[in-house]
Amino acid sequence: MFVLAGVFAIATVVLLVLGYFFPAFITYAVASILTFHAQYRMTSFIMNRADDRAREVEALSKSQNQFFSSMSHEIRTPINTIIGLNEMTMREDISDEVAENSRNIQSASKMLLHLINDILDKSKLESGKMELTPVPYATGDMFSEIVGMIWIRTREKKLDFHINIDPMLPAQLYGDEVRIKQILINLLTNAVKYTSEGSITLNVQYEKKSDRQVLVTYSVSDTGMGIKKESIPYLFNAFKRVDESENRYIEGTGLGLSIVKEFVDMMGGTITVNSVYTRGSTFVVSIPQEIEDEQGVGDLNLEARHSHSVRRHYRVSFKAPGARILVVDDNSANLLVVSKLLRDTEIAIDTADSGEEALEKTLEVGYDLILMDHLMPGMDGIRCMHEIRHQTGGLCKDTRIIVLTANAGSEEQALYVREGFDGYLVKPVSGEILEAEVSKKLPSHLVQITSDEGIAAEISEGVDVVKRKLRAPVMITTETVSDLPRSFIRTTDVALIPYHVKTADGDFLDSVEAESRGLLSYMEDGRYDARSVEPSVSEYELFFAESLTRANRIIHIAMSSRVGWGYANALEASRSFENVTVIDSMHLSSGMGLLVMEAHRMKTEGMQPDDMIKNIKALRSHINTGFIVSDTNYLAQAGRLNGTVNNIAQALLFRPVLALKKGKMGVGRIYFGSRDAAATRYIRDTLRITAGIDKRRLFITYAGLSIDELRNIRAEIEKHASFEEIYFQKASSAVTANCGPGTFGLLFIK
Ligand code: ADP
């Protein structure tokens, strides 16, 4: 009810403003509004009379549907007049004030149109009447068209527009092109609407599912206001506008995303959202489609569809003074609009207000093109088109006929193609789209293209077609405390978030600002106050947001939740994102690193993310993470050993082994005596039974050991087992801060 009131209110305002310029339309406006009102009252009356409750509900839904559908058609007709004639005003040499009024009329009527389309879609979806109409379509043309519709808005808001489409995406797919376009335009429009500076990005990738099928993933990102975590669950609810107080100046109904979600569901796809409040949002949509032509789409050609862009200063795109066309419509205002919009092309235009009159005219004149309305009293447009094609003595049997109709929607479009129309235009039609279609369908010898250079260049200027690396379907992220070899980090796309190292001198980011060597000399100076601190929730949020610009899904491997707060913070941050999974590694240091290396291997083998998560979790209990600590003072400082125990340990030269069990750090064996002797015994005990050990790799992760000490460790290890690869891994500052210099561990999978 609230929405209907809105529709009437906006309709009234738009029509009244128009009446200011074109007084004749006041009558038209009032008549239209009264018609809607009468229809609405009739519908309510029908609803009230039904006795049987079940029948009542059914009747209600049916009549509501009819009402919405006829309302949509009926409202489109006057809006066509408003938009068309207003465009004529804008083409004139008018004062700034009139120009501004005209622009406002234009945006208000487009908004009204948008609203009507949404309401119609919603009512069709709710009554189960919405059907998909899959057709073969050219992917390149679709994207060019979408870019053509969005770039001007990004330009107006001074936003950068990046487009990144996989050039190998099949050039022809089979799917409901109209709905896919609607989904993308909706998401891109929202991205522009809710972003005041920065950029919006459209990313398109695909994955081959079988010989015939691909899963296409479209992601729309912006650097805008973002969405609060608590609002995300309500985002796809109809009529729900989140953050009403902040968005009240941004026009919208809250219907768009709920329709988008239902379309995506109908097509067997998925939609997810990732957003950091105040930083921006990414909507990711995946839709399965069939392959029509496997050849890659290549680089996006913006010039192919530039005619769909909106020109700021009108310039007629072609002239055809030798052409004569017939426009058929029962509504005289529509005839007027088309004639006016085509005025500057110098085409001779005849009109007919019924199918019957059209048939009389086609007996007399051989037209070069016919524009035909569909719904007319008496003979409708489809019948009239067939009659013209078979008319005895007719002069237009071979003339191209374009349907110009207020029936929007993919079913209608398919119907017109099936019936044999040569083209399809939806009312309200802009002068530019009308010109483009007419110039394409007129016999080419009649058309003189005037000038449209400049516009393609203008689009290319505002749009950045990026040839960047494509987004990965899944990416592994972890923390600097995972102590991974540099060569591994350099050669893979695994991303790391730094832990902090806090000392009396300040707060440093692990591996970025604090090299463990610097930290070691700080500690060896007898200073024990260095502490490692996990990233905050907002640091994790930013890290995930940044990683999601590179991949559609993130699997984050965090340090054991029983050792620090990193896991809890990462988990909290992941709530802002539907595509981030945080796994508690139940390990630290290179134990975590081993899990990351295995996860990366699974990824490169093409394993599905859900299977990866299962396998990573199962692997946790097979990792051995333990360190022999040389000086217990550091443990005491890090709060891992109480003061009294530490005093005893210091006095007796305790060298404890810290090991991770079920994620918890505990003291395992304790060695005594010299550092070397303890190390030798630690190695021997750890590698005593080698049967179950995975020999592919061993980490010797250490802090503050000399080359000689490392050589000795290696020689000792080789006495017990041989590994394909041994990594001497310097522990990160965070681990160093906890265990202190002289620490090392043998880490492996068993
Ligand atoms: P609306 O017509 O209000 O834009 P939608 O259904 O498209 O309706 O969106 C619902 C709500 O989701 C919006 O009101 C807005 O609060 C939020 N929203 C949608 N897209 C974005 C975005 N890209 N950035 C921030 N908020 C968004």
Side-chain angles (χ1 to χ4, degrees):
M1 241 22 41
F2 155 75
V3 175
L4 287 179
V7 173
F8 288 136
I10 302 170
T12 311
V13 172
V14 171
L15 292 166
L16 286 178
V17 176
L18 190 84
Y20 173 77
F21 295 101
F22 305 100
F25 285 98
I26 289 280
T27 325
Y28 196 70
V30 172
S32 304
I33 290 170
L34 287 178
T35 315
F36 304 150
H37 192 61
Q39 267 178 308
Y40 171 68
R41 291 293 284 273
M42 257 166 59
T43 313
S44 311
F45 181 66
I46 295 165
M47 290 173 193
N48 292 337
R49 292 300 294 253
D51 300 334
D52 177 8
R53 190 154 173 73
R55 277 202 354 244
E56 190 179 289
V57 172
E58 204 188 315
L60 184 99
S61 130
K62 209 167 145 195
S63 60
Q64 230 177 21
N65 232 343
Q66 271 168 358
F67 169 66
F68 279 131
S69 151
S70 64
M71 179 179 82
S72 156
H73 183 269
E74 293 306 306
I75 290 182
R76 273 169 180 280
T77 308
I79 295 182
N80 184 38
T81 314
I82 297 171
I83 293 183
L85 295 185
N86 187 53
E87 188 176 327
M88 294 309 292
T89 308
M90 287 167 91
R91 284 186 197 175
E92 301 300 325
D93 188 12
I94 44 178
S95 72
D96 286 351
E97 191 188 341
V98 176
E100 196 190 332
N101 290 346
S102 265
R103 274 196 300 276
N104 287 335
I105 294 175
Q106 188 184 39
S107 81
S109 32
K110 283 194 175 155
M111 167 78 193
L112 181 59
L113 188 68
H114 189 77
L115 190 63
I116 286 154
N117 289 342
D118 277 1
I119 292 175
L120 185 67
D121 279 347
K122 194 72 200 162
S123 82
K124 274 193 185 168
L125 282 165
E126 274 178 8
S127 62
K129 289 264 163 58
M130 182 67 83
E131 276 171 25
L132 294 176
T133 318
V135 290
Y137 70 95
T139 47
D141 284 357
M142 181 180 84
F143 291 121
S144 304
E145 206 174 307
I146 291 172
V147 172
M149 292 171 86
I150 300 293
W151 78 278
I152 192 91
R153 301 187 205 188
T154 56
R155 162 79 72 88
E156 275 164 9
K157 290 189 79 177
K158 298 196 171 52
L159 301 172
D160 292 330
F161 186 8
H162 306 297
I163 299 152
N164 190 7
I165 295 171
D166 187 342
M168 299 303 290
L169 179 79
Q172 290 251 351
L173 289 174
Y174 181 82
D176 192 334
E177 182 195 10
V178 174
R179 299 296 172 216
I180 295 173
K181 227 163 30 188
Q182 204 175 337
I183 290 170
L184 295 178
I185 289 171
N186 216 308
L187 296 179
L188 286 163
T189 310
N190 273 353
V192 178
K193 222 159 63 168
Y194 297 104
T195 303
S196 53
E197 59 183 306
S199 62
I200 66 169
T201 305
L202 169 68
N203 233 298
V204 183
Q205 278 171 264
Y206 77 103
E207 202 185 319
K208 211 161 165 192
K209 288 291 177 192
S210 68
D211 276 357
R212 301 232 356 98
Q213 220 192 27
V214 284
L215 181 70
V216 185
T217 299
Y218 316 84
S219 73
V220 175
S221 319
D222 63 63
T223 56
M225 59 195 288
I227 302 160
K228 283 189 184 144
K229 226 178 293 180
E230 56 273 23
S231 303
I232 288 179
Y234 307 105
L235 216 53
F236 298 108
N237 290 2
F239 301 109
K240 178 81 188 170
R241 302 199 66 207
V242 301
D243 233 342
E244 279 282 8
S245 56
E246 284 191 39
N247 291 347
R248 64 186 180 283
Y249 299 115
I250 304 178
E251 57 195 25
T253 54
L255 265 180
L257 286 181
S258 82
I259 294 172
V260 162
K261 167 99 173 90
E262 294 198 53
F263 283 159
V264 172
D265 287 347
M266 278 178 80
M267 291 190 249
T270 55
I271 177 163
T272 51
V273 57
N274 303 299
S275 186
V276 179
Y277 188 53
T278 74
R279 300 284 178 152
S281 316
T282 302
F283 287 82
V284 182
V285 174
S286 296
I287 298 172
Q289 285 164 74
E290 272 159 44
I291 303 169
E292 278 283 323
D293 176 359
E294 191 144 15
Q295 201 187 327
V297 61
D299 293 330
L300 190 62
N301 179 6
L302 292 176
E303 288 171 41
R305 284 296 191 130
H306 63 77
S307 54
H308 281 273
S309 62
V310 186
R311 248 170 268 183
R312 276 174 304 169
H313 304 295
Y314 175 77
R315 236 178 359 225
V316 68
S317 60
F318 76 100
K319 292 198 176 183
R324 187 160 183 189
I325 69 169
L326 176 67
V327 187
V328 189
D329 199 311
D330 61 305
N331 183 306
S332 58
N334 285 340
L335 292 174
L336 181 73
V337 167
V338 174
S339 310
K340 289 214 172 208
L341 287 177
L342 290 176
R343 184 189 64 191
D344 294 352
T345 62
E346 297 173 18
I347 295 174
I349 299 171
D350 289 354
T351 58
D353 62 13
S354 67
E356 291 79 1
E357 193 190 344
L359 288 174
E360 285 166 24
K361 297 214 153 152
T362 51
L363 279 177
E364 291 161 14
V365 181
Y367 290 104
D368 299 307
L369 185 70
I370 297 173
L371 296 177
M372 176 80 70
D373 183 23
H374 173 198
L375 295 181
M376 292 184 286
M379 184 187 298
D380 76 8
I382 295 180
R383 225 185 91 206
C384 185
M385 181 262 296
H386 287 302
E387 301 249 338
I388 292 174
R389 295 256 158 94
H390 301 106
Q391 193 175 21
T392 319
L395 300 174
C396 298
K397 288 188 200 165
D398 298 320
T399 303
R400 286 176 166 174
I401 305 178
I402 298 174
V403 64
L404 174 56
T405 168
N407 281 347
S410 48
E411 300 105 277
E412 282 84 3
Q413 196 166 340
L415 168 77
Y416 298 128
V417 172
R418 238 184 1 254
E419 290 290 343
F421 279 102
D422 298 291
Y424 166 73
L425 285 170
V426 191
K427 288 177 208 163
V429 65
S430 73
E432 195 168 357
I433 288 176
L434 184 64
E435 278 181 21
E437 185 68 10
V438 169
S439 72
K440 221 166 29 184
K441 298 288 157 70
L442 273 176
S444 58
H445 67 276
L446 294 173
V447 178
Q448 307 156 11
I449 300 293
T450 49
S451 105
D452 59 2
E453 77 275 0
I455 188 81
E458 217 182 312
I459 301 183
S460 316
E461 228 174 73
V463 181
D464 160 29
V465 179
V466 212
K467 295 189 188 88
R468 249 187 288 135
K469 260 197 353 209
L470 290 163
R471 288 155 65 95
V474 59
M475 179 170 153
I476 311 290
T477 61
T478 185
E479 301 160 358
T480 48
V481 287
S482 60
D483 293 342
L484 279 159
R486 267 175 204 252
S487 59
F488 176 81
I489 296 167
R490 233 188 0 254
T491 54
T492 64
D493 61 353
V494 171
L496 290 90
I497 181 170
Y499 260 52
H500 297 258
V501 178
K502 290 198 171 150
T503 70
D505 294 346
D507 179 347
F508 306 95
L509 284 179
D510 191 13
S511 304
V512 182
E513 295 158 356
E515 272 296 324
S516 53
R517 200 179 323 156
L519 184 69
L520 278 170
S521 50
Y522 177 91
M523 295 172 89
E524 277 162 355
D525 282 350
R527 299 169 73 171
Y528 294 105
D529 64 345
R531 277 183 307 123
S532 97
V533 177
E534 64 288 330
S536 66
V537 175
S538 57
E539 283 171 331
Y540 274 111
E541 279 177 352
L542 282 183
F543 173 68
F544 290 148
E546 153 65 20
S547 305
L548 279 167
T549 62
R550 290 190 273 152
N552 293 329
R553 178 131 185 214
I554 303 293
I555 298 178
H556 180 79
I557 299 182
M559 188 163 86
S560 173
S561 62
R562 301 178 80 175
V563 175
W565 289 103
Y567 171 76
N569 287 356
L571 194 65
E572 174 64 23
S574 73
R575 298 226 176 99
S576 302
F577 309 93
E578 293 192 43
N579 302 349
V580 176
T581 308
V582 177
I583 298 181
D584 178 351
S585 71
M586 301 175 82
H587 289 271
L588 47 73
S589 184
S590 308
M592 252 171 103
L594 280 164
L595 208 55
V596 172
M597 288 172 114
E598 283 299 299
H600 179 73
R601 179 187 57 76
M602 293 174 203
K603 181 196 121 162
T604 48
E605 285 171 3
M607 196 183 279
Q608 290 302 311
D610 292 336
D611 293 332
M612 286 174 67
I613 293 167
K614 232 183 320 169
N615 286 339
I616 295 168
K617 287 187 174 167
L619 193 64
R620 295 179 297 194
S621 56
H622 296 280
I623 291 178
N624 180 78
T625 302
F627 291 91
I628 177 163
V629 174
S630 140
D631 179 349
T632 54
N633 272 332
Y634 299 100
L635 289 180
Q637 175 59 36
R640 308 214 179 273
L641 210 61
N642 87 27
T644 324
V645 177
N646 184 37
N647 289 341
I648 301 171
Q650 287 284 317
L652 298 177
L653 292 181
F654 271 11
R655 313 220 185 259
V657 173
L658 293 185
L660 274 280
K661 276 224 166 57
K662 294 202 169 131
K664 205 167 163 200
M665 174 125 67
V667 176
R669 282 185 291 270
I670 297 178
Y671 297 96
F672 306 91
S674 80
R675 209 156 116 167
D676 287 350
T680 307
R681 270 177 283 144
Y682 163 66
I683 296 167
R684 191 188 60 205
D685 290 346
T686 310
L687 300 179
R688 175 168 293 152
I689 302 161
T690 57
I693 295 179
D694 176 355
K695 304 281 173 19
R696 281 175 304 156
R697 48 178 114 79
L698 170 76
F699 272 91
I700 303 166
T701 304
Y702 66 95
L705 292 188
S706 69
I707 300 279
D708 281 345
E709 280 175 304
L710 292 175
R711 261 198 215 114
N712 292 342
I713 291 172
R714 182 178 199 135
E716 190 58 38
I717 288 169
E718 279 166 358
K719 286 187 202 159
H720 306 281
S722 74
F723 287 87
E724 280 170 37
E725 214 151 355
I726 295 184
Y727 296 99
F728 282 96
Q729 176 64 39
K730 255 190 231 157
S732 60
S733 310
V735 169
T736 310
N738 269 306
C739 302
T743 296
F744 80 94
L746 305 186
L747 301 95
F748 50 84
I749 300 176
K750 56 184 191 283

